[in-house]
Amino acid sequence: MAVRHLIDFKDWKSKEIEELLDIALKIKKNKEKYYDVLKNKTLTMIFQKTSTRTRLSFEAGMTQLGGHAIFLDWKTTQFIMADIQDEAKCVNRYSDVIMARLLRNADLMKIAEVSTVPVINGLCEKYHPCQVLADILTVKENKGNLKGLKLVYYGIANNVSNSLSVIATKLGMNFVLSAPERHAISLDEELLKQVNATGLYSEEKDPLKAVKDADIVYTDTWVDMELFLDPKFEEEKKRRMKTFMPYQVNKELLKGVPDALIMHDLPAHRGYEIDDFAMKSSNSIIFDQAENRLHAQKAILLKLLGKA
Ligand code: CP
């Protein structure tokens, strides 16, 4: 049987995603029961980009499941000079599962193509499936039923909005994208076709119209992590700040929806995509999202390794 990967939830059935959420909730409630489930299993984590949450949650997750995680910084490995599939085949020989955060999805697909063990996408320019599973888990904990909820995503259309629109619509939620621009490299025409076909996806450029009756307001950085501090990106960063400021999640925007949950996948840039009021609001579930990375990813690991 072909090995199952998690590149994005695009090719997962709604039932399978619901099952992952149920497993995650079970693990979160009874973590002691799972202490030995991945005994002697090794997760290799390959990072081409920086990370706090993804690295820590996968590493802590493997420890709590009785296994072990190895961190590989791409630039200190032979991946920088060798054939990517040669290196991936070798990583396979030492690993039971691989998680990779790569700059380009095409490279992740090259690894998945030769991998005999499951490959998990820890973020690429097109998708961030692990993040959105944790996000939806957090919404479920707060709201119970997901069907019919309205989630509005503000800022730049990107990898996170892609994956979030897929998972939300697959679970019967209404997803509204309120964005003046798309990060060009994140474009996936097939994904847009898929979410449009559900009838639950829409786009609304006017941020105030978009927010009407929102149950959840979500935002993400306007600038990719590898470019945020890059002096060469300074001019474009200034342009984006001007273009995107009307889409900031702030006190003014939230006035009309006092009960809406506030979400951000972090790291956050206060004064840019979100203000301090929204970050500190009692409706903010931002740090619960971060914690839920741990529980959601344990569910992914167990499912892909046939231990769920
Ligand atoms: N949200 C997220 O993926 O966090 P890190 O970039 O810190 O891993």
Side-chain angles (χ1 to χ4, degrees):
M1 210 171 82
V3 65
R4 187 87 194 261
H5 304 301
L6 175 55
I7 306 300
D8 188 59
F9 287 115
K10 244 172 43 165
D11 57 351
W12 284 56
K13 294 189 179 78
S14 305
K15 255 195 160 32
E16 293 174 313
I17 302 170
E18 282 162 4
E19 190 199 350
L20 277 182
L21 291 169
D22 289 344
I23 300 167
L25 283 172
K26 262 192 214 154
I27 299 173
K28 188 171 178 176
K29 282 194 188 118
N30 295 291
K31 69 175 180 183
E32 297 81 8
K33 270 176 103 176
Y34 296 84
Y35 277 168
D36 278 335
V37 175
L38 295 188
K39 193 165 177 241
N40 294 329
K41 300 285 182 202
T42 298
L43 164 72
T44 299
M45 308 186 294
I46 308 169
F47 280 92
Q48 219 176 18
K49 294 174 49 142
T50 52
S51 170
T52 303
R53 281 147 291 273
T54 304
R55 177 182 176 179
L56 283 172
S57 51
F58 267 107
E59 197 161 333
M62 279 305 282
T63 304
Q64 291 176 17
L65 294 170
H68 178 61
I70 298 172
F71 170 78
L72 285 187
D73 176 1
W74 180 273
K75 62 181 183 298
T76 65
T77 68
Q78 312 300 15
F79 271 106
I80 52 167
M81 67 182 89
D83 179 273
I84 189 170
Q85 291 192 324
D86 287 350
E87 294 303 290
K89 282 179 192 168
C90 296
V91 174
N92 258 254
R93 301 290 176 114
Y94 314 119
S95 315
D96 298 287
V97 52
I98 295 169
M99 186 278 289
R101 167 170 285 193
L102 303 188
L103 287 163
R104 294 290 168 259
N105 181 264
D107 283 337
L108 182 74
M109 296 314 290
K110 282 182 193 161
I111 293 177
E113 195 182 295
V114 296
S115 187
T116 54
V117 301
V119 174
I120 300 169
N121 185 358
L123 176 146
C124 64
E125 86 284 16
K126 291 198 189 308
Y127 318 112
H128 199 356
C130 297
Q131 178 65 51
V132 303
L133 186 69
D135 295 340
I136 296 299
L137 178 65
T138 317
V139 173
K140 197 175 163 73
E141 285 179 321
N142 281 271
K143 295 281 191 187
N145 195 9
L146 296 170
K147 283 198 173 61
L149 292 176
K150 176 179 173 182
L151 187 156
V152 187
Y153 178 97
Y154 286 99
I156 193 162
N158 62 7
N159 49 1
V160 174
S161 66
N162 278 348
S163 291
L164 203 52
S165 65
V166 167
I167 197 166
T169 55
K170 282 199 180 212
L171 297 174
M173 296 169 70
N174 296 292
F175 181 93
V176 181
L177 178 75
S178 191
E181 286 176 16
R182 168 171 290 284
H183 191 25
I185 56 170
S186 76
L187 180 66
D188 178 344
E189 299 278 10
E190 186 196 291
L191 179 146
L192 285 175
K193 220 165 124 183
Q194 189 184 107
V195 293
N196 268 308
T198 65
L200 297 171
Y201 175 88
S202 61
E203 297 185 5
E204 173 53 68
K205 281 238 184 326
D206 182 332
L208 286 176
K209 274 190 193 161
V211 85
K212 197 172 173 307
D213 299 326
D215 297 293
I216 303 133
V217 170
Y218 194 118
T219 191
D220 181 25
T221 183
W222 299 333
V223 178
D224 271 359
M225 60 184 87
E226 68 272 25
L227 300 171
F228 205 85
L229 300 173
D230 184 347
K232 290 203 285 291
F233 202 73
E234 205 47 44
E235 277 311 303
E236 172 59 11
K237 196 170 144 191
K238 275 191 202 144
R239 186 197 70 78
R240 284 200 195 174
M241 295 315 144
K242 228 171 126 186
T243 308
F244 287 89
M245 202 45 86
Y247 296 83
Q248 185 189 63
V249 171
N250 57 28
K251 194 173 180 178
E252 197 55 35
L253 180 80
L254 295 165
K255 260 186 192 157
V257 281
D259 297 325
L261 298 174
I262 301 162
M263 302 184 76
H264 191 307
D265 55 324
L266 299 172
H269 309 285
R270 284 173 180 76
Y272 294 93
E273 74 273 8
I274 194 164
D275 73 351
D276 203 45
F277 172 86
M279 284 296 294
K280 289 183 180 154
S281 162
S282 56
N283 290 354
S284 162
I285 52 170
I286 292 170
F287 295 99
D288 298 327
Q289 287 173 255
E291 181 194 325
N292 278 339
R293 294 291 304 272
L294 176 70
H295 312 297
Q297 285 156 196
K298 281 184 183 176
I300 294 169
L301 287 163
L302 295 195
K303 173 82 181 160
L304 294 180
L305 289 169
K307 301 279 186 186

